[in-house]
Amino acid sequence: MEDRKVVEGQIGRPPRAFRRVVVRCPFGRPAVTEQSPYDDFGEPFPTTYYVTCRHLVAAISRLEAAGGVERWSGAALREPALAQSLARATEEQKRVRTELAAGRSGRDEGASLALGIGGSANPQQLKCLHAHAAFALARPGYELGERIVAEIDPLWPENCCSDTDDPSL
């Protein structure tokens, strides 16, 4: 329950479909979480791995604001190794979501289980660098995501970015 409380503070609201923390920052706080494919009401939650670390969220937002989605989508089309990496990660995403669903199909009757990283229906057109970075951090070996993460400098801040008055968090 402590992780859920920390994540709530990081994102400013109760997390939907929260399962667990899969990556922690050097300060021991949640950095990437794993979500269930469906929330408690059966609504699809297409982002399996979700960045919660404020430092990472801000850094990735800066990459996106600088045209990162278009740039990395183009790179994935031009570079065969990145295209293959994206294709493998997309299939892995579908497999993981199906496993996490454990037979549940939600209000969409299972349609969202076939979506790619970040809920993309067209994996060749990236939607959200946050989702690709989260996937790479949670499941090492995803070259495209790892190259996106490599643009974050520094990857971790010098001091913990979770500002809270509660020392137990």
PDB file of all heavy atoms in Angstrom, residues 1-11 13-15 18-24 28-33 35 52 162 168-169:
ATOM      1  N   MET A   1       0.823  -1.200   0.000  1.00  0.00           N
ATOM      2  CA  MET A   1       0.000   0.000   0.000  1.00  0.00           C
ATOM      3  C   MET A   1       0.863   1.259   0.000  1.00  0.00           C
ATOM      4  O   MET A   1       0.461   2.269  -0.535  1.00  0.00           O
ATOM      5  CB  MET A   1      -0.940  -0.001   1.200  1.00  0.00           C
ATOM      6  CG  MET A   1      -2.043  -1.032   1.094  1.00  0.00           C
ATOM      7  SD  MET A   1      -2.937  -0.917  -0.446  1.00  0.00           S
ATOM      8  CE  MET A   1      -4.297   0.087   0.045  1.00  0.00           C
ATOM      9  N   GLU A   2       2.052   1.187   0.569  1.00  0.00           N
ATOM     10  CA  GLU A   2       2.913   2.362   0.604  1.00  0.00           C
ATOM     11  C   GLU A   2       3.268   2.814  -0.811  1.00  0.00           C
ATOM     12  O   GLU A   2       3.243   4.001  -1.111  1.00  0.00           O
ATOM     13  CB  GLU A   2       4.184   2.074   1.399  1.00  0.00           C
ATOM     14  CG  GLU A   2       5.096   3.275   1.478  1.00  0.00           C
ATOM     15  CD  GLU A   2       6.340   2.988   2.287  1.00  0.00           C
ATOM     16  OE1 GLU A   2       6.231   2.378   3.363  1.00  0.00           O
ATOM     17  OE2 GLU A   2       7.404   3.383   1.820  1.00  0.00           O
ATOM     18  N   ASP A   3       3.591   1.871  -1.698  1.00  0.00           N
ATOM     19  CA  ASP A   3       3.926   2.238  -3.074  1.00  0.00           C
ATOM     20  C   ASP A   3       2.767   2.965  -3.753  1.00  0.00           C
ATOM     21  O   ASP A   3       2.975   3.966  -4.436  1.00  0.00           O
ATOM     22  CB  ASP A   3       4.298   1.007  -3.896  1.00  0.00           C
ATOM     23  CG  ASP A   3       5.714   0.524  -3.644  1.00  0.00           C
ATOM     24  OD1 ASP A   3       6.528   1.305  -3.100  1.00  0.00           O
ATOM     25  OD2 ASP A   3       6.011  -0.631  -4.003  1.00  0.00           O
ATOM     26  N   ARG A   4       1.566   2.477  -3.547  1.00  0.00           N
ATOM     27  CA  ARG A   4       0.396   3.122  -4.151  1.00  0.00           C
ATOM     28  C   ARG A   4       0.284   4.564  -3.660  1.00  0.00           C
ATOM     29  O   ARG A   4       0.005   5.472  -4.444  1.00  0.00           O
ATOM     30  CB  ARG A   4      -0.876   2.342  -3.823  1.00  0.00           C
ATOM     31  CG  ARG A   4      -2.138   2.953  -4.427  1.00  0.00           C
ATOM     32  CD  ARG A   4      -3.384   2.198  -4.010  1.00  0.00           C
ATOM     33  NE  ARG A   4      -3.489   0.915  -4.656  1.00  0.00           N
ATOM     34  CZ  ARG A   4      -4.024   0.722  -5.871  1.00  0.00           C
ATOM     35  NH1 ARG A   4      -4.477   1.741  -6.547  1.00  0.00           N
ATOM     36  NH2 ARG A   4      -4.098  -0.472  -6.381  1.00  0.00           N
ATOM     37  N   LYS A   5       0.537   4.779  -2.393  1.00  0.00           N
ATOM     38  CA  LYS A   5       0.452   6.123  -1.816  1.00  0.00           C
ATOM     39  C   LYS A   5       1.526   7.037  -2.402  1.00  0.00           C
ATOM     40  O   LYS A   5       1.259   8.195  -2.719  1.00  0.00           O
ATOM     41  CB  LYS A   5       0.583   6.044  -0.295  1.00  0.00           C
ATOM     42  CG  LYS A   5       0.387   7.361   0.410  1.00  0.00           C
ATOM     43  CD  LYS A   5       0.426   7.177   1.919  1.00  0.00           C
ATOM     44  CE  LYS A   5       0.273   8.506   2.618  1.00  0.00           C
ATOM     45  NZ  LYS A   5       0.385   8.390   4.058  1.00  0.00           N
ATOM     46  N   VAL A   6       2.731   6.521  -2.558  1.00  0.00           N
ATOM     47  CA  VAL A   6       3.814   7.309  -3.152  1.00  0.00           C
ATOM     48  C   VAL A   6       3.468   7.657  -4.601  1.00  0.00           C
ATOM     49  O   VAL A   6       3.617   8.806  -5.028  1.00  0.00           O
ATOM     50  CB  VAL A   6       5.164   6.567  -3.073  1.00  0.00           C
ATOM     51  CG1 VAL A   6       6.240   7.323  -3.844  1.00  0.00           C
ATOM     52  CG2 VAL A   6       5.586   6.371  -1.626  1.00  0.00           C
ATOM     53  N   VAL A   7       2.996   6.680  -5.356  1.00  0.00           N
ATOM     54  CA  VAL A   7       2.627   6.921  -6.756  1.00  0.00           C
ATOM     55  C   VAL A   7       1.522   7.967  -6.832  1.00  0.00           C
ATOM     56  O   VAL A   7       1.563   8.866  -7.676  1.00  0.00           O
ATOM     57  CB  VAL A   7       2.224   5.606  -7.456  1.00  0.00           C
ATOM     58  CG1 VAL A   7       1.583   5.874  -8.819  1.00  0.00           C
ATOM     59  CG2 VAL A   7       3.441   4.693  -7.603  1.00  0.00           C
ATOM     60  N   GLU A   8       0.549   7.888  -5.948  1.00  0.00           N
ATOM     61  CA  GLU A   8      -0.516   8.891  -5.925  1.00  0.00           C
ATOM     62  C   GLU A   8       0.068  10.290  -5.738  1.00  0.00           C
ATOM     63  O   GLU A   8      -0.339  11.240  -6.413  1.00  0.00           O
ATOM     64  CB  GLU A   8      -1.518   8.576  -4.816  1.00  0.00           C
ATOM     65  CG  GLU A   8      -2.682   9.540  -4.776  1.00  0.00           C
ATOM     66  CD  GLU A   8      -3.757   9.138  -3.785  1.00  0.00           C
ATOM     67  OE1 GLU A   8      -3.836   7.953  -3.396  1.00  0.00           O
ATOM     68  OE2 GLU A   8      -4.550  10.024  -3.409  1.00  0.00           O
ATOM     69  N   GLY A   9       1.035  10.421  -4.849  1.00  0.00           N
ATOM     70  CA  GLY A   9       1.684  11.713  -4.649  1.00  0.00           C
ATOM     71  C   GLY A   9       2.481  12.151  -5.873  1.00  0.00           C
ATOM     72  O   GLY A   9       2.501  13.329  -6.223  1.00  0.00           O
ATOM     73  N   GLN A  10       3.112  11.196  -6.547  1.00  0.00           N
ATOM     74  CA  GLN A  10       3.908  11.532  -7.724  1.00  0.00           C
ATOM     75  C   GLN A  10       3.044  12.030  -8.876  1.00  0.00           C
ATOM     76  O   GLN A  10       3.407  12.976  -9.563  1.00  0.00           O
ATOM     77  CB  GLN A  10       4.708  10.307  -8.197  1.00  0.00           C
ATOM     78  CG  GLN A  10       5.846   9.924  -7.289  1.00  0.00           C
ATOM     79  CD  GLN A  10       6.496   8.623  -7.729  1.00  0.00           C
ATOM     80  OE1 GLN A  10       5.832   7.664  -8.119  1.00  0.00           O
ATOM     81  NE2 GLN A  10       7.830   8.592  -7.675  1.00  0.00           N
ATOM     82  N   ILE A  11       1.916  11.375  -9.102  1.00  0.00           N
ATOM     83  CA  ILE A  11       1.091  11.725 -10.270  1.00  0.00           C
ATOM     84  C   ILE A  11      -0.061  12.661  -9.918  1.00  0.00           C
ATOM     85  O   ILE A  11      -0.768  13.128 -10.806  1.00  0.00           O
ATOM     86  CB  ILE A  11       0.590  10.475 -11.019  1.00  0.00           C
ATOM     87  CG1 ILE A  11      -0.383   9.642 -10.172  1.00  0.00           C
ATOM     88  CG2 ILE A  11       1.771   9.618 -11.484  1.00  0.00           C
ATOM     89  CD1 ILE A  11      -1.017   8.467 -10.904  1.00  0.00           C
ATOM     90  N   ARG A  13      -2.876  12.063  -8.248  1.00  0.00           N
ATOM     91  CA  ARG A  13      -4.210  11.461  -8.226  1.00  0.00           C
ATOM     92  C   ARG A  13      -4.056   9.980  -7.913  1.00  0.00           C
ATOM     93  O   ARG A  13      -2.956   9.432  -8.078  1.00  0.00           O
ATOM     94  CB  ARG A  13      -4.923  11.643  -9.565  1.00  0.00           C
ATOM     95  CG  ARG A  13      -4.187  11.003 -10.714  1.00  0.00           C
ATOM     96  CD  ARG A  13      -4.949  11.043 -12.026  1.00  0.00           C
ATOM     97  NE  ARG A  13      -4.118  10.591 -13.131  1.00  0.00           N
ATOM     98  CZ  ARG A  13      -3.746   9.341 -13.362  1.00  0.00           C
ATOM     99  NH1 ARG A  13      -4.121   8.369 -12.551  1.00  0.00           N
ATOM    100  NH2 ARG A  13      -2.991   9.033 -14.395  1.00  0.00           N
ATOM    101  N   PRO A  14      -5.117   9.324  -7.501  1.00  0.00           N
ATOM    102  CA  PRO A  14      -5.009   7.877  -7.299  1.00  0.00           C
ATOM    103  C   PRO A  14      -4.688   7.180  -8.624  1.00  0.00           C
ATOM    104  O   PRO A  14      -5.271   7.520  -9.657  1.00  0.00           O
ATOM    105  CB  PRO A  14      -6.400   7.468  -6.800  1.00  0.00           C
ATOM    106  CG  PRO A  14      -6.992   8.728  -6.257  1.00  0.00           C
ATOM    107  CD  PRO A  14      -6.435   9.838  -7.096  1.00  0.00           C
ATOM    108  N   PRO A  15      -3.747   6.248  -8.618  1.00  0.00           N
ATOM    109  CA  PRO A  15      -3.422   5.557  -9.871  1.00  0.00           C
ATOM    110  C   PRO A  15      -4.535   4.592 -10.277  1.00  0.00           C
ATOM    111  O   PRO A  15      -5.114   3.915  -9.430  1.00  0.00           O
ATOM    112  CB  PRO A  15      -2.135   4.808  -9.537  1.00  0.00           C
ATOM    113  CG  PRO A  15      -2.170   4.626  -8.061  1.00  0.00           C
ATOM    114  CD  PRO A  15      -2.927   5.798  -7.506  1.00  0.00           C
ATOM    115  N   PHE A  18      -3.448   0.165 -11.056  1.00  0.00           N
ATOM    116  CA  PHE A  18      -2.116  -0.070 -10.482  1.00  0.00           C
ATOM    117  C   PHE A  18      -1.960  -1.524 -10.040  1.00  0.00           C
ATOM    118  O   PHE A  18      -2.803  -2.061  -9.350  1.00  0.00           O
ATOM    119  CB  PHE A  18      -1.933   0.856  -9.271  1.00  0.00           C
ATOM    120  CG  PHE A  18      -0.637   0.673  -8.531  1.00  0.00           C
ATOM    121  CD1 PHE A  18       0.510   1.295  -8.970  1.00  0.00           C
ATOM    122  CD2 PHE A  18      -0.573  -0.114  -7.393  1.00  0.00           C
ATOM    123  CE1 PHE A  18       1.715   1.142  -8.284  1.00  0.00           C
ATOM    124  CE2 PHE A  18       0.614  -0.276  -6.704  1.00  0.00           C
ATOM    125  CZ  PHE A  18       1.767   0.359  -7.153  1.00  0.00           C
ATOM    126  N   ARG A  19      -0.836  -2.151 -10.468  1.00  0.00           N
ATOM    127  CA  ARG A  19      -0.513  -3.502 -10.022  1.00  0.00           C
ATOM    128  C   ARG A  19       0.682  -3.488  -9.076  1.00  0.00           C
ATOM    129  O   ARG A  19       0.616  -4.033  -7.996  1.00  0.00           O
ATOM    130  CB  ARG A  19      -0.180  -4.413 -11.211  1.00  0.00           C
ATOM    131  CG  ARG A  19      -1.380  -4.848 -12.007  1.00  0.00           C
ATOM    132  CD  ARG A  19      -1.009  -5.810 -13.126  1.00  0.00           C
ATOM    133  NE  ARG A  19      -0.056  -6.840 -12.780  1.00  0.00           N
ATOM    134  CZ  ARG A  19      -0.333  -8.034 -12.228  1.00  0.00           C
ATOM    135  NH1 ARG A  19      -1.575  -8.332 -11.937  1.00  0.00           N
ATOM    136  NH2 ARG A  19       0.617  -8.903 -11.972  1.00  0.00           N
ATOM    137  N   ARG A  20       1.791  -2.884  -9.552  1.00  0.00           N
ATOM    138  CA  ARG A  20       3.009  -2.910  -8.747  1.00  0.00           C
ATOM    139  C   ARG A  20       4.045  -1.963  -9.324  1.00  0.00           C
ATOM    140  O   ARG A  20       3.925  -1.516 -10.461  1.00  0.00           O
ATOM    141  CB  ARG A  20       3.578  -4.319  -8.690  1.00  0.00           C
ATOM    142  CG  ARG A  20       4.059  -4.819 -10.043  1.00  0.00           C
ATOM    143  CD  ARG A  20       4.438  -6.296 -10.018  1.00  0.00           C
ATOM    144  NE  ARG A  20       4.843  -6.742 -11.335  1.00  0.00           N
ATOM    145  CZ  ARG A  20       6.064  -7.102 -11.666  1.00  0.00           C
ATOM    146  NH1 ARG A  20       7.032  -7.105 -10.748  1.00  0.00           N
ATOM    147  NH2 ARG A  20       6.364  -7.496 -12.880  1.00  0.00           N
ATOM    148  N   VAL A  21       5.094  -1.718  -8.554  1.00  0.00           N
ATOM    149  CA  VAL A  21       6.247  -0.966  -9.019  1.00  0.00           C
ATOM    150  C   VAL A  21       7.202  -1.953  -9.675  1.00  0.00           C
ATOM    151  O   VAL A  21       7.490  -3.006  -9.107  1.00  0.00           O
ATOM    152  CB  VAL A  21       6.937  -0.238  -7.840  1.00  0.00           C
ATOM    153  CG1 VAL A  21       8.243   0.408  -8.285  1.00  0.00           C
ATOM    154  CG2 VAL A  21       6.001   0.782  -7.225  1.00  0.00           C
ATOM    155  N   VAL A  22       7.693  -1.618 -10.869  1.00  0.00           N
ATOM    156  CA  VAL A  22       8.635  -2.505 -11.562  1.00  0.00           C
ATOM    157  C   VAL A  22      10.033  -1.910 -11.671  1.00  0.00           C
ATOM    158  O   VAL A  22      10.995  -2.646 -11.909  1.00  0.00           O
ATOM    159  CB  VAL A  22       8.126  -2.934 -12.960  1.00  0.00           C
ATOM    160  CG1 VAL A  22       6.907  -3.835 -12.834  1.00  0.00           C
ATOM    161  CG2 VAL A  22       7.835  -1.747 -13.841  1.00  0.00           C
ATOM    162  N   VAL A  23      10.160  -0.598 -11.518  1.00  0.00           N
ATOM    163  CA  VAL A  23      11.465   0.061 -11.532  1.00  0.00           C
ATOM    164  C   VAL A  23      11.460   1.122 -10.443  1.00  0.00           C
ATOM    165  O   VAL A  23      10.498   1.884 -10.309  1.00  0.00           O
ATOM    166  CB  VAL A  23      11.768   0.733 -12.898  1.00  0.00           C
ATOM    167  CG1 VAL A  23      13.097   1.478 -12.862  1.00  0.00           C
ATOM    168  CG2 VAL A  23      11.746  -0.289 -14.027  1.00  0.00           C
ATOM    169  N   ARG A  24      12.541   1.145  -9.676  1.00  0.00           N
ATOM    170  CA  ARG A  24      12.710   2.166  -8.640  1.00  0.00           C
ATOM    171  C   ARG A  24      13.889   3.062  -9.000  1.00  0.00           C
ATOM    172  O   ARG A  24      14.841   2.620  -9.621  1.00  0.00           O
ATOM    173  CB  ARG A  24      12.949   1.516  -7.277  1.00  0.00           C
ATOM    174  CG  ARG A  24      11.730   0.774  -6.775  1.00  0.00           C
ATOM    175  CD  ARG A  24      11.924   0.194  -5.382  1.00  0.00           C
ATOM    176  NE  ARG A  24      10.741  -0.549  -5.011  1.00  0.00           N
ATOM    177  CZ  ARG A  24       9.645  -0.016  -4.501  1.00  0.00           C
ATOM    178  NH1 ARG A  24       9.599   1.281  -4.253  1.00  0.00           N
ATOM    179  NH2 ARG A  24       8.598  -0.756  -4.213  1.00  0.00           N
ATOM    180  N   GLY A  28      15.050   4.725  -4.122  1.00  0.00           N
ATOM    181  CA  GLY A  28      14.113   3.702  -3.667  1.00  0.00           C
ATOM    182  C   GLY A  28      12.652   3.996  -3.927  1.00  0.00           C
ATOM    183  O   GLY A  28      11.784   3.219  -3.552  1.00  0.00           O
ATOM    184  N   ARG A  29      12.369   5.102  -4.585  1.00  0.00           N
ATOM    185  CA  ARG A  29      10.973   5.474  -4.874  1.00  0.00           C
ATOM    186  C   ARG A  29      10.512   4.848  -6.190  1.00  0.00           C
ATOM    187  O   ARG A  29      11.327   4.547  -7.066  1.00  0.00           O
ATOM    188  CB  ARG A  29      10.833   6.993  -4.974  1.00  0.00           C
ATOM    189  CG  ARG A  29      11.264   7.743  -3.737  1.00  0.00           C
ATOM    190  CD  ARG A  29      10.276   7.506  -2.583  1.00  0.00           C
ATOM    191  NE  ARG A  29      10.734   8.066  -1.342  1.00  0.00           N
ATOM    192  CZ  ARG A  29      10.544   9.312  -0.955  1.00  0.00           C
ATOM    193  NH1 ARG A  29       9.894  10.153  -1.726  1.00  0.00           N
ATOM    194  NH2 ARG A  29      10.999   9.724   0.205  1.00  0.00           N
ATOM    195  N   PRO A  30       9.205   4.695  -6.359  1.00  0.00           N
ATOM    196  CA  PRO A  30       8.696   4.199  -7.642  1.00  0.00           C
ATOM    197  C   PRO A  30       9.127   5.108  -8.795  1.00  0.00           C
ATOM    198  O   PRO A  30       9.084   6.331  -8.676  1.00  0.00           O
ATOM    199  CB  PRO A  30       7.181   4.237  -7.462  1.00  0.00           C
ATOM    200  CG  PRO A  30       6.973   4.152  -5.976  1.00  0.00           C
ATOM    201  CD  PRO A  30       8.133   4.917  -5.389  1.00  0.00           C
ATOM    202  N   ALA A  31       9.535   4.505  -9.895  1.00  0.00           N
ATOM    203  CA  ALA A  31       9.883   5.251 -11.100  1.00  0.00           C
ATOM    204  C   ALA A  31       9.020   4.800 -12.276  1.00  0.00           C
ATOM    205  O   ALA A  31       8.593   5.610 -13.085  1.00  0.00           O
ATOM    206  CB  ALA A  31      11.355   5.085 -11.444  1.00  0.00           C
ATOM    207  N   VAL A  32       8.754   3.483 -12.345  1.00  0.00           N
ATOM    208  CA  VAL A  32       7.901   2.914 -13.389  1.00  0.00           C
ATOM    209  C   VAL A  32       6.998   1.887 -12.722  1.00  0.00           C
ATOM    210  O   VAL A  32       7.467   1.049 -11.953  1.00  0.00           O
ATOM    211  CB  VAL A  32       8.722   2.243 -14.512  1.00  0.00           C
ATOM    212  CG1 VAL A  32       7.802   1.586 -15.548  1.00  0.00           C
ATOM    213  CG2 VAL A  32       9.665   3.235 -15.176  1.00  0.00           C
ATOM    214  N   THR A  33       5.709   1.971 -13.040  1.00  0.00           N
ATOM    215  CA  THR A  33       4.750   1.023 -12.484  1.00  0.00           C
ATOM    216  C   THR A  33       4.170   0.150 -13.590  1.00  0.00           C
ATOM    217  O   THR A  33       4.250   0.483 -14.769  1.00  0.00           O
ATOM    218  CB  THR A  33       3.597   1.743 -11.761  1.00  0.00           C
ATOM    219  OG1 THR A  33       2.918   2.600 -12.683  1.00  0.00           O
ATOM    220  CG2 THR A  33       4.099   2.544 -10.573  1.00  0.00           C
ATOM    221  N   GLN A  35       0.627  -1.609 -14.825  1.00  0.00           N
ATOM    222  CA  GLN A  35      -0.822  -1.488 -14.690  1.00  0.00           C
ATOM    223  C   GLN A  35      -1.509  -2.737 -15.219  1.00  0.00           C
ATOM    224  O   GLN A  35      -1.006  -3.382 -16.139  1.00  0.00           O
ATOM    225  CB  GLN A  35      -1.345  -0.284 -15.486  1.00  0.00           C
ATOM    226  CG  GLN A  35      -1.319   1.040 -14.750  1.00  0.00           C
ATOM    227  CD  GLN A  35       0.056   1.382 -14.231  1.00  0.00           C
ATOM    228  OE1 GLN A  35       0.222   1.527 -13.045  1.00  0.00           O
ATOM    229  NE2 GLN A  35       1.048   1.490 -15.092  1.00  0.00           N
ATOM    230  N   THR A  52       6.286   7.209 -13.418  1.00  0.00           N
ATOM    231  CA  THR A  52       5.730   8.011 -12.319  1.00  0.00           C
ATOM    232  C   THR A  52       6.748   8.969 -11.723  1.00  0.00           C
ATOM    233  O   THR A  52       6.369   9.940 -11.077  1.00  0.00           O
ATOM    234  CB  THR A  52       5.179   7.107 -11.194  1.00  0.00           C
ATOM    235  OG1 THR A  52       6.256   6.346 -10.638  1.00  0.00           O
ATOM    236  CG2 THR A  52       4.081   6.188 -11.708  1.00  0.00           C
ATOM    237  N   SER A 162      10.811  13.382  -5.348  1.00  0.00           N
ATOM    238  CA  SER A 162       9.519  13.237  -4.669  1.00  0.00           C
ATOM    239  C   SER A 162       9.515  14.150  -3.467  1.00  0.00           C
ATOM    240  O   SER A 162      10.106  13.855  -2.432  1.00  0.00           O
ATOM    241  CB  SER A 162       9.297  11.784  -4.209  1.00  0.00           C
ATOM    242  OG  SER A 162       9.103  10.956  -5.308  1.00  0.00           O
ATOM    243  N   SER A 168       8.030   8.742   5.732  1.00  0.00           N
ATOM    244  CA  SER A 168       7.857   7.314   5.457  1.00  0.00           C
ATOM    245  C   SER A 168       7.732   7.054   3.958  1.00  0.00           C
ATOM    246  O   SER A 168       7.830   5.923   3.516  1.00  0.00           O
ATOM    247  CB  SER A 168       6.613   6.772   6.175  1.00  0.00           C
ATOM    248  OG  SER A 168       5.433   7.288   5.582  1.00  0.00           O
ATOM    249  N   LEU A 169       7.487   8.116   3.168  1.00  0.00           N
ATOM    250  CA  LEU A 169       7.371   7.937   1.725  1.00  0.00           C
ATOM    251  C   LEU A 169       8.733   8.056   1.108  1.00  0.00           C
ATOM    252  O   LEU A 169       9.049   7.950   0.058  1.00  0.00           O
ATOM    253  CB  LEU A 169       6.392   8.961   1.133  1.00  0.00           C
ATOM    254  CG  LEU A 169       4.972   8.894   1.688  1.00  0.00           C
ATOM    255  CD1 LEU A 169       4.125   9.987   1.048  1.00  0.00           C
ATOM    256  CD2 LEU A 169       4.341   7.556   1.443  1.00  0.00           C
TER     257      LEU A 169
END
